[in-house]
Amino acid sequence: MTRPTIVQLAQAAGVSPTTVSHAFSGRRYVDPDTKARIVTLAQEMGYRANPTARRLRSGGGGSIALVSSMPFAVAAGPSRLGFLMEIAAAAAVTALSRSTTLCLVPPLERGSQLEALDVDGAIVVEPALDDSVLDFFFERGVPVVAIGHAPGRPDLPAVDLRSTETARLLLDHLGGAGWRVGLVTGLQRRNSYIETEAAYAAFCAERGLASAAIRIDERGGEDEAAVAVEAFLRQNRDIGALCVPVDAFAAGALRAAAALGLSVPDDLRLATRYDGMRARLASPQLTAVNLHLDQVAETAIDMLTGLIEGRAASPKPIAPPLLVERASSARSSS
Amino acid sequence: MTRPTIVQLAQAAGVSPTTVSHAFSGRRYVDPDTKARIVTLAQEMGYRANPTARRLRSGGGGSIALVSSMPFAVAAGPSRLGFLMEIAAAAAVTALSRSTTLCLVPPLERGSQLEALDVDGAIVVEPALDDSVLDFFFERGVPVVAIGHAPGRPDLPAVDLRSTETARLLLDHLGGAGWRVGLVTGLQRRNSYIETEAAYAAFCAERGLASAAIRIDERGGEDEAAVAVEAFLRQNRDIGALCVPVDAFAAGALRAAAALGLSVPDDLRLATRYDGMRARLASPQLTAVNLHLDQVAETAIDMLTGLIEGRAASPKPIAPPLLVERASSARSSS
DNA sequence: ACCGGCATGCAAATCGTTTTGCATGGCGTC
DNA sequence: GACGCCATGCAAAACGATTTGCATGCCGGT
């Protein structure tokens, strides 16, 4: 009942395993008749090369893990599902074409069955400062590539999400004659926040505007954002535009505006970062940025497989972030 | 620069590979001092057992695949991302706690690198009639568990999504005094559609209502649904409620209603099946059904691991589907 | 002095491929 | 007839672990 091996097939065909291997791989010449016999026989017997054995011999890659440092309950909740899973989907496709498989790894709790995790490398999505996930893999010598640089670890291989550029794009788009632009980020110390906040500071300095920024606890999600942004706007009446990278927070900001009787975009212009379902389903639809996550995922996998095989990681360039203008930031037709 | 093997570690520690192996696996007694020496040395040298080699020798014990028969471009698009990925997230957690890993497998194209796919089992999400994905795994003797029965293959192990019950739940909720209830499903022949359509036929028969149903091509997504439903409603003016299991189609139906000047829920009551982000972000929010996808995923994994290990598959019961009432089907306050 | 048993560790076989290096025989050429 | 070359195929060594059977050396009991 067990699958036939190459040896059994070879015996049945009256040849050596070598010839069978060559017949399939084509790496050496095999008599056409012989090859045909082998192939049909393989069909009959249901022979398929054992992928594990094949990989062992020819050093192929095994599996790589995709990890979010945020609990799935949060990551898979409305707030982050899109971002993580869009990457996951793209990464799965790329991984398969590189003959490795992509494993989804739920957030790590030390001392759990996680010790048994058997992967050749890991991709960590937007690690935060001192992220324990990184240490975990680091400790056991598993190569890691981050999507979005790990704060405080510029040495760690990473695919740059170009957050500074993205922030500039959003801020320049939002910035208008005279009014202030506010910024809403999160409490965690992720690189995208850090870069965005820096870009924001520079932006304000250039234009001689007073900055107005708050950070919101990610765990609170849209609801907490709605409350916090409402208070924030109440205190800063002169804010004419709001840059809200986290899409869940942007949704909260939308509610806050409604609560205050502010119309979007006429009284308040709004834009977010990740152009996912959330941005498109909001009303009005949210201006966002195309981050080319498919390219990001592909690059991350290529870097990681390179790392696993001992080659130097040479990040391919990602297309620059692209603003997707929608109703939430339409310029008032004046 | 390549990873050290067990032989190198053994040499460095002055013992045999056997002892190293036993030190880690614990399958034989090893002197505590020796073990300690090996472990610390392994740490220093960054030794990790090669998962591929390990698997080759000791058989499976690896990974299971999660497959959607729909292209990721569609499955991961707004229309199905939620459903598939919510299962993926839950399954990943369960899988890890059973010490296997969950691999995301993009839709299969024959003759691609897919041959190299190395999994011990597969979970297929809502297979369609004659789904080639099932044959693929069947051919190579990989055990499969379906989420949602495979049409025409009642023998295939599956976790029941209880679509008949779900449909009854929705229809009974929508059915009101006198008006007709319409049904919108998809072109593919998935079990959930089949059961839903049967339940719908029975529902109409019981109440002596003429049935009114259409099927929409999944690939067209929300846009095509908007067009199709509008035409459908125009032809069936007496429809007072619409049961639209596919959430993307429900969103389209919402647009169709708006285009016709019908108010939801006053002129048209609406409900969908999967209670995901889409249902919650629609306006008005869509009445939907809690399918307990976390339990579904857990059960699927348990069945599959059972199958892999040769035990009989004994499906655990899933909690019954639960209606989540929202504004889209609120009874008019009369 | 002998023997059984325990603690400790090693050698070698094994998993199923792929990949070299070498063997065989036939055939054309000088 | 000696020589080289091509076509065809096989044997054996990897790949990196796990697992089984056996070998020591030491101890206490008789």
Side-chain angles (χ1 to χ4, degrees):
Chain A
M1 213 49 183
T2 169
R3 258 168 43 182
T5 74
I6 197 173
V7 176
Q8 296 171 299
L9 175 55
Q11 278 174 344
V15 296
S16 77
T18 308
T19 305
V20 173
S21 177
H22 288 326
F24 284 122
S25 70
R27 293 190 45 93
R28 286 261 188 114
Y29 182 86
V30 172
D31 184 79
D33 287 351
T34 314
K35 185 188 284 188
R37 185 157 36 96
I38 293 176
V39 169
T40 55
L41 211 51
Q43 198 83 331
E44 283 175 26
M45 302 176 53
Y47 168 78
R48 328 218 111 249
N50 179 327
T52 306
R54 182 197 300 250
R55 276 212 287 264
L56 175 57
R57 172 60 225 230
S58 25
S63 55
I64 64 187
L66 182 72
V67 193
S68 162
S69 60
M70 219 176 282
F72 268 20
V74 176
S79 102
R80 299 255 301 156
L81 178 103
F83 194 79
L84 177 63
M85 289 307 180
E86 187 174 329
I87 288 178
V93 174
T94 302
L96 192 73
S97 79
R98 308 285 190 279
S99 20
T100 67
T101 52
L102 186 79
C103 297
L104 230 46
V105 176
L108 319 168
E109 282 158 31
R110 308 311 288 262
S112 63
Q113 288 81 351
L114 207 80
E115 310 296 330
L117 187 62
D118 229 14
V119 294
D120 305 327
I123 293 178
V124 178
V125 177
E126 290 218 278
L129 188 63
D130 298 327
D131 204 313
S132 71
V133 167
L134 295 176
D135 297 329
F136 177 85
F137 289 112
F138 222 65
E139 274 172 18
R140 58 204 66 204
V142 177
V144 168
V145 167
I147 287 183
H149 282 279
R153 302 206 189 182
D155 51 309
L156 201 82
V159 180
D160 194 341
L161 280 177
R162 306 175 77 152
S163 297
T164 301
E165 261 177 278
T166 302
R168 263 335 272 224
L169 212 55
L170 289 172
L171 292 168
D172 286 341
H173 172 69
L174 289 172
W179 63 57
R180 275 171 89 195
V181 177
L183 179 72
V184 179
T185 55
L187 271 185
Q188 292 190 329
R189 291 296 77 200
R190 298 195 306 214
N191 191 258
S192 65
Y193 293 164
I194 296 174
E195 284 191 25
T196 300
E197 288 167 7
Y200 176 71
F203 171 85
C204 292
E206 281 168 23
R207 310 216 173 187
L209 296 172
S211 74
I214 51 168
R215 292 178 186 166
I216 296 175
D217 190 339
E218 277 84 355
R219 289 166 302 182
E222 177 178 335
D223 293 338
E224 180 156 342
V227 175
V229 171
E230 185 176 338
F232 178 68
L233 287 176
R234 223 185 273 282
Q235 288 178 338
N236 299 274
R237 292 278 177 188
D238 54 341
I239 284 184
L242 220 44
C243 176
V244 190
V246 180
D247 59 357
F249 293 171
L254 227 38
R255 277 163 48 186
L260 291 172
L262 296 174
S263 137
V264 174
D266 292 333
D267 303 324
L268 183 72
R269 298 173 66 216
L270 204 60
T272 188
R273 178 179 73 142
Y274 167 54
D275 183 24
M277 183 166 20
R278 192 124 197 178
R280 279 184 289 249
L281 288 185
S283 78
Q285 296 194 315
L286 296 176
T287 290
V289 177
N290 181 350
L291 298 172
H292 307 288
L293 290 186
D294 49 346
Q295 288 179 37
V296 168
E298 183 175 346
T299 302
I301 293 213
D302 282 341
M303 286 178 67
L304 188 55
T305 51
L307 234 53
I308 291 172
E309 289 163 12
R311 297 197 312 270
S314 59
K316 266 189 305 189
I318 311 278
L322 208 62
L323 191 72
V324 181
E325 294 190 41
R326 297 229 177 73
S328 73
S329 68
R331 290 180 199 276
S332 45
S333 56
S334 66
Chain B
M1 214 45 185
T2 170
R3 254 166 51 179
T5 75
I6 197 174
V7 176
Q8 295 171 301
L9 174 57
Q11 278 174 346
V15 296
S16 77
T18 308
T19 305
V20 173
S21 177
H22 289 148
F24 284 121
S25 71
R27 293 190 43 93
R28 286 261 189 114
Y29 182 87
V30 173
D31 184 81
D33 287 350
T34 313
K35 184 187 288 189
R37 184 157 37 97
I38 292 175
V39 168
T40 55
L41 210 50
Q43 199 83 332
E44 284 174 25
M45 301 175 54
Y47 167 78
R48 289 201 63 230
N50 179 326
T52 306
R54 185 201 299 262
R55 275 214 286 269
L56 175 58
R57 172 63 225 229
S58 24
S63 51
I64 65 188
L66 181 72
V67 192
S68 162
S69 60
M70 218 174 285
F72 268 19
V74 176
S79 105
R80 301 254 300 156
L81 178 103
F83 194 79
L84 176 62
M85 290 307 180
E86 187 175 327
I87 289 177
V93 174
T94 303
L96 193 74
S97 78
R98 308 284 191 280
S99 18
T100 67
T101 52
L102 186 80
C103 297
L104 229 46
V105 176
L108 318 168
E109 283 159 30
R110 310 309 289 263
S112 63
Q113 289 81 350
L114 209 79
E115 308 296 328
L117 187 62
D118 189 15
V119 295
D120 304 324
I123 294 179
V124 178
V125 177
E126 291 218 280
L129 187 63
D130 298 326
D131 204 313
S132 71
V133 168
L134 296 176
D135 297 329
F136 177 84
F137 289 113
F138 220 65
E139 274 172 20
R140 58 204 67 202
V142 176
V144 167
V145 168
I147 287 184
H149 282 278
R153 303 207 189 182
D155 50 308
L156 201 83
V159 180
D160 195 342
L161 281 176
R162 306 175 77 151
S163 296
T164 301
E165 262 177 276
T166 302
R168 266 332 276 225
L169 213 55
L170 289 171
L171 292 169
D172 285 342
H173 171 70
L174 289 173
W179 65 56
R180 278 170 89 196
V181 178
L183 178 71
V184 179
T185 55
L187 270 186
Q188 293 190 328
R189 290 296 76 201
R190 298 194 308 213
N191 191 258
S192 65
Y193 293 164
I194 296 173
E195 285 192 26
T196 300
E197 288 167 8
Y200 175 71
F203 171 84
C204 290
E206 280 170 23
R207 311 217 172 185
L209 296 172
S211 75
I214 51 168
R215 293 177 185 166
I216 296 175
D217 189 339
E218 276 84 354
R219 289 166 301 182
E222 178 177 333
D223 294 338
E224 181 157 343
V227 174
V229 171
E230 185 176 338
F232 177 70
L233 288 177
R234 223 184 273 282
Q235 289 179 335
N236 298 274
R237 291 277 176 190
D238 55 340
I239 284 184
L242 221 41
C243 176
V244 190
V246 180
D247 58 357
F249 293 171
L254 227 37
R255 275 163 49 187
L260 291 172
L262 296 174
S263 137
V264 174
D266 292 333
D267 303 323
L268 182 72
R269 298 173 66 216
L270 206 59
T272 189
R273 178 179 74 142
Y274 166 56
D275 184 25
M277 182 168 18
R278 192 123 195 181
R280 281 184 288 250
L281 288 185
S283 78
Q285 296 194 314
L286 296 176
T287 290
V289 178
N290 180 351
L291 296 173
H292 307 288
L293 290 185
D294 49 346
Q295 286 179 38
V296 167
E298 183 175 347
T299 302
I301 292 216
D302 282 341
M303 286 178 66
L304 189 55
T305 52
L307 236 51
I308 291 171
E309 289 163 12
R311 297 195 313 269
S314 59
K316 267 188 305 190
I318 311 279
L322 209 62
L323 191 73
V324 182
E325 294 190 42
R326 298 229 177 74
S328 74
S329 69
R331 291 180 199 275
S332 45
S333 55
S334 66

